[in-house]
Amino acid sequence: PKEYKAYVLERDWWEFDHVQRIPVGCDKPETYGSCLYHRWGKVPGEEAGAIYNAMVEVLGKQLVYGAAKKVMDAPKQASGNLVVTVPPPVKRGPGGSLVDDYDVPMPEEVIGTYSNPIVAMEILATQGDDHRYLLYLLKSQYQSNRKLLDPTMTKWTFAENAYQALVRAFGKDEVLQAARVVRTAKKRMTSNTVMDQKAIGATRNEPWEAFEDILARKNPRGYVKSALMFSENFKSPATVDADAAYKKFVSENGEDKVLDAAKQMAAGKPHFAYRDELVYLRQALNAPPTPEKPTETLVDYPEYVAWKKFAPGAKVSYADRIWQLARPDSDRLVPGAVEYHHAYLLKSINDEQAQLWFTETSYNRSGTALPSRDTEIAYPAKYAQPATPAAAPAQSSAETTAAPRGKGSAAGMSQAAASRMRRTTTTTAAVALVPGGYHPNMITPASGPTESGEETLEINGKRIATRWQSVSYLFEASSPDKDCSLVVKVWTSDQVPTGLVRKTEDKICPADRQHPYPRVVKETYLDSFEGFTPAVPDSSQPVSTTYVPPPVVLKRAVAATAVTPNPATTPAPPKPAPQQTPVPARTPPPRNVSRPALPPDVAAQMELSQRYSKAVVRAAQAKNKLAQLERKQAGQGTQLPADVRDARDRIESEMKAVMIAMSKRDNDQTNQSLQTLEDTVSVIEKYLKQ
């Protein structure tokens, strides 16, 4: 009967939508809202009626019935949703794909902007007034606290009750002034979040959280009163004597100490309408004094520095392809078709950040290009190196402008594409020397010197002086490629914005059934550049070539330096070497039965690298499941808890912090950054299991 009842409800609504009619009993403003909450809110009819009646009682009949009438008369889609006439907030990237445009403000019009009838009715009934707007924000806290409330309480009575408590704690004028600041702030159409939260005195861009930031920081004493009231009687906090509770609390703990703790909490992420906020306030109150922090030193952001000397319009494009032997018994390598292409285009750059387009294109087996995908990214000019990596700068332009979560960043790409992006944006050869596509447990750096030198490469008729480094790897005994070797070689140049000119991964295996082609080279190379001209190096040296054109090697200087893999500093300029001949196919070096132990620092780096790989996989899976859950919640008018949203927002910046620490070989900092990242992912995973 339960399933049949649900089916009948959906069938009946479909029949009415199909003929563009409203069911009898729902065709008046006095009852229409109840039907909306029943249908779109997915609540039983009696509960839906209670919600609508409470909305009328709190906001007033004239406003609510007027809003219901506008929604009732608005054009509907075949599904029953409202017709959206406002153009979507998108723009075209350089690759031709549509991407979210975070600069488009939310329109004032409601009908034609929102498709959900409940959302449209609630906004129409609460817009244009500070008190009603705050009630609209407060009701969003109802669902997460529902288990603590009286079963008969609706989200509108909860909102009015919480509002009265805030008025008692802060004073009506301060509460409404903070609500006005948030209400009138320009919102982003993609997410209805505040565009510039810093300008209104907040650090969070979700409207309710921005209101919390503003009010708590302006009045720490009111914040303490609010925490006391919601802790003492969460069901009816407005009935608590805020002044008496505050006097008792400060007499026990000291007012100066209490207010210092309140300021500390308000500077972070304060919460109203939250029963346990007093618990966290007490923890801050009883915590030992925080040691005085050393003055933060601002550090140049590597990717920003790499683009700093280039003007908007500068563009670099890269291509990926595979080289194989012409025949199994041959030593001649032949190139395959391009499999993947990506490009960076500098949009703008100022003293604060550089904004770029990242465009990626994949190709199918026949060599046909698939539709390109564009992403906006941004690099800050400087960042502070904190003791914990939570404040590390974000990579996406969405995050640097407080755009909606997970949009406009590498997080929106496939995991493979994001991995390619991270490998190619680095400006240090040390990081790029790590091979891609291999699990860290399957490869180990060979115990030998890192080779380095200089070469001049020719790209589209332009000569570029490069530095190169190469590192050899061996495969573990448990790997299918256990008898193979791998040489990773990277060419870099300061004359190229990303630093990367070319990268090869040369894999050599014994010729057997498992490896019919015993040599395979994966190559990423600078395909083209626009908007700048690299300096032309001296071409008086004899010309020599490698086995892989393009690019053509015009001259080479080689030096072998006995350093550990992935050196952090650039080796001294080597002396010119005699002309080289094309590199022939090589035989894998013999594998020692007892491999010499890696130096402790290198072993630690390998272990951290493995942890990072696992954390990246966990993060990708968690964010994917969270996105699916959000899509389901969107139709129910609910949202994720604040701590889960915060955790999701931090993942990209925390991953970046790990990469920065790894590139500097700071194992302690890497370990701390990894622990923070793993803890953040655990918050999401725990929520998903509930």
Side-chain angles (χ1 to χ4, degrees):
K2 183 179 179 181
E3 287 79 3
Y4 179 71
K5 211 170 184 179
Y7 157 73
V8 169
L9 179 64
E10 294 297 329
R11 180 200 64 190
D12 290 351
W13 277 114
W14 179 89
E15 290 177 347
F16 279 99
D17 291 338
H18 190 64
V19 294
Q20 294 288 304
R21 284 184 57 184
I22 299 175
V24 174
C26 296
D27 53 354
K28 296 179 180 180
E30 293 82 355
T31 55
Y32 184 68
S34 298
C35 294
L36 291 185
Y37 280 122
H38 179 43
R39 179 184 183 185
W40 300 101
K42 306 294 184 184
V43 296
E46 186 175 342
E47 183 180 345
I51 295 173
Y52 189 57
N53 290 336
M55 182 181 181
V56 171
E57 182 180 349
V58 170
L59 300 177
K61 288 184 179 180
Q62 184 175 356
L63 282 169
V64 175
Y65 291 164
K69 182 71 165 60
K70 289 180 180 179
V71 175
M72 189 169 61
D73 295 341
K76 309 291 193 304
Q77 303 177 27
S79 62
N81 285 301
L82 302 183
V83 173
V84 175
T85 57
V86 175
V90 295
K91 58 185 176 182
R92 287 200 180 275
S97 65
L98 291 175
V99 299
D100 289 335
D101 190 344
Y102 304 112
D103 296 326
V104 176
M106 178 64 74
E108 293 292 332
E109 303 82 9
V110 176
I111 302 301
T113 299
Y114 299 90
S115 63
N116 188 309
I118 291 180
V119 173
M121 181 180 67
E122 291 179 344
I123 292 178
L124 284 168
T126 57
Q127 68 179 175
D129 179 82
D130 301 331
H131 173 209
R132 296 196 302 270
Y133 176 74
L134 182 54
L135 292 176
Y136 178 79
L137 298 183
L138 272 164
K139 71 176 178 56
S140 67
Q141 303 304 299
Y142 169 77
Q143 194 64 35
S144 59
N145 293 301
R146 189 171 184 177
K147 294 180 180 179
L148 304 174
L149 301 171
D150 190 302
T152 61
M153 181 174 284
T154 71
K155 61 182 180 180
W156 290 105
T157 52
F158 165 80
E160 177 62 22
N161 202 357
Y163 167 76
Q164 294 298 337
L166 293 178
V167 168
R168 284 179 175 270
F170 293 93
K172 185 175 181 179
D173 290 342
E174 284 194 19
V175 169
L176 293 182
Q177 183 180 3
R180 184 182 308 114
V181 169
V182 178
R183 179 178 66 83
T184 57
K186 185 178 291 187
K187 310 295 193 308
R188 183 174 285 106
M189 186 178 177
T190 53
S191 61
N192 204 16
T193 52
V194 178
M195 278 192 175
D196 188 359
Q197 67 272 21
K198 291 183 181 179
I200 62 174
T203 51
R204 294 176 290 179
N205 65 349
E206 199 277 324
W208 165 247
E209 294 174 343
F211 171 80
E212 292 176 310
D213 289 345
I214 295 169
L215 194 55
R217 292 166 192 176
K218 185 176 181 180
N219 189 342
R221 183 176 284 102
Y223 166 71
V224 177
K225 291 180 180 180
S226 170
L228 289 166
M229 295 170 72
F230 282 97
S231 175
E232 184 173 329
N233 189 347
F234 189 78
K235 293 182 179 180
S236 185
T239 61
V240 176
D241 188 334
D243 293 333
Y246 178 78
K247 288 179 182 179
K248 183 176 182 297
F249 189 69
V250 297
S251 67
E252 296 170 348
N253 299 280
E255 186 167 24
D256 290 342
K257 188 177 178 182
V258 168
L259 292 180
D260 286 343
K263 291 175 183 177
Q264 178 184 340
M265 293 290 292
K269 295 179 180 178
H271 295 290
F272 302 148
Y274 181 45
R275 186 188 64 174
D276 295 331
E277 188 70 0
L278 184 62
V279 175
Y280 296 102
L281 178 60
R282 287 185 183 276
Q283 290 178 358
L285 187 63
N286 298 320
T290 304
E292 187 174 345
K293 294 182 179 180
T295 303
E296 289 183 328
T297 302
L298 293 179
V299 180
D300 289 332
Y301 199 75
E303 282 81 358
Y304 174 86
V305 173
W307 285 93
K308 185 177 181 180
K309 59 185 177 183
F310 298 92
K315 179 180 179 180
V316 288
S317 301
Y318 293 92
D320 288 10
R321 61 181 173 183
I322 301 293
W323 292 72
Q324 289 183 328
L325 297 176
R327 299 186 310 276
D329 59 347
S330 170
D331 61 359
R332 184 171 64 90
L333 287 162
V334 293
V338 172
E339 298 180 339
Y340 175 75
H341 190 277
H342 61 280
Y344 299 90
L345 171 63
L346 182 61
K347 290 175 55 183
S348 64
I349 188 166
N350 54 33
D351 293 338
E352 295 181 356
Q353 67 175 2
Q355 294 189 344
L356 301 92
W357 281 107
F358 174 73
T359 303
E360 54 180 343
T361 306
S362 297
Y363 298 79
N364 60 22
R365 292 184 178 181
S366 64
T368 303
L370 302 176
S372 298
R373 176 167 182 170
D374 299 295
T375 307
E376 291 182 279
I377 57 177
Y379 302 124
K382 291 182 180 293
Y383 73 101
Q385 281 187 308
T388 58
Q395 184 174 353
S396 71
S397 62
E399 292 175 26
T400 56
T401 56
R405 298 158 293 273
K407 298 284 187 180
S409 67
M413 292 183 265
S414 65
Q415 186 177 347
S419 176
R420 290 191 190 101
M421 181 175 173
R422 287 192 292 271
R423 292 201 306 272
T424 54
T425 54
T426 178
T427 57
T428 59
V431 178
L433 282 167
V434 178
Y438 296 100
H439 195 281
N441 291 337
M442 293 299 176
I443 57 173
T444 303
S447 56
T450 297
E451 294 183 346
S452 61
E454 294 181 347
E455 288 180 353
T456 298
L457 305 183
E458 185 174 293
I459 309 290
N460 289 344
K462 301 292 185 180
R463 296 180 176 185
I464 303 177
T466 69
R467 300 180 301 274
W468 62 265
Q469 290 180 303
S470 68
V471 171
S472 298
Y473 290 85
L474 296 176
F475 290 86
E476 295 293 339
S478 58
S479 168
D481 300 318
K482 61 182 179 180
D483 295 322
C484 304
S485 67
L486 180 69
V487 178
V488 180
K489 187 173 181 180
V490 175
W491 291 256
T492 60
S493 171
D494 294 336
Q495 300 179 43
V496 177
T498 63
L500 182 67
V501 178
R502 183 175 173 224
K503 177 180 180 179
T504 59
E505 297 180 12
D506 193 347
K507 180 180 175 182
I508 303 175
C509 301
D512 54 27
R513 185 176 300 176
Q514 187 172 347
H515 304 97
Y517 286 84
R519 189 177 186 192
V520 176
V521 179
K522 292 173 59 177
E523 180 188 24
T524 298
Y525 62 92
L526 181 62
D527 182 47
S528 64
F529 51 84
E530 303 171 23
F532 65 97
T533 303
V536 179
D538 177 26
S539 59
S540 60
Q541 297 294 328
V543 176
S544 61
T545 61
T546 64
Y547 60 91
V548 184
V552 177
V553 175
L554 301 175
K555 60 182 181 180
R556 172 188 294 172
V558 181
T561 54
V563 295
T564 55
N566 300 342
T569 58
T570 304
K575 298 179 180 179
Q579 179 176 339
Q580 302 291 316
T581 57
V583 181
R586 294 172 289 153
T587 303
R591 297 177 58 86
N592 297 326
V593 177
S594 58
R595 181 178 299 165
L598 293 171
D601 57 337
V602 177
Q605 291 168 15
M606 291 296 295
E607 182 181 353
L608 292 170
S609 176
Q610 294 169 11
R611 275 182 62 192
Y612 178 64
S613 285
K614 294 177 181 178
V616 169
V617 173
R618 286 175 56 198
Q621 293 173 344
K623 292 180 70 174
N624 183 47
K625 293 179 181 178
L626 203 62
Q628 296 175 7
L629 180 60
E630 274 195 290
R631 286 193 288 270
K632 293 180 181 178
Q633 291 181 339
Q636 302 171 0
T638 59
Q639 62 179 357
L640 300 173
D643 60 333
V644 177
R645 297 199 305 270
D646 291 341
R648 175 193 53 196
D649 296 348
R650 294 196 307 267
I651 284 180
E652 285 301 314
S653 61
E654 289 176 358
M655 289 173 63
K656 187 68 178 178
V658 177
M659 294 174 62
I660 291 173
M662 291 175 67
S663 69
K664 295 178 179 178
R665 284 185 189 75
D666 188 338
N667 290 352
D668 291 338
Q669 183 63 50
T670 301
N671 184 62
Q672 292 181 24
S673 302
L674 267 173
Q675 188 61 55
T676 301
L677 174 62
E678 291 165 347
D679 292 344
T680 298
V681 175
S682 296
V683 171
I684 300 176
E685 292 173 337
K686 183 178 179 180
Y687 173 73
L688 291 171
K689 290 179 181 178
Q690 294 177 351

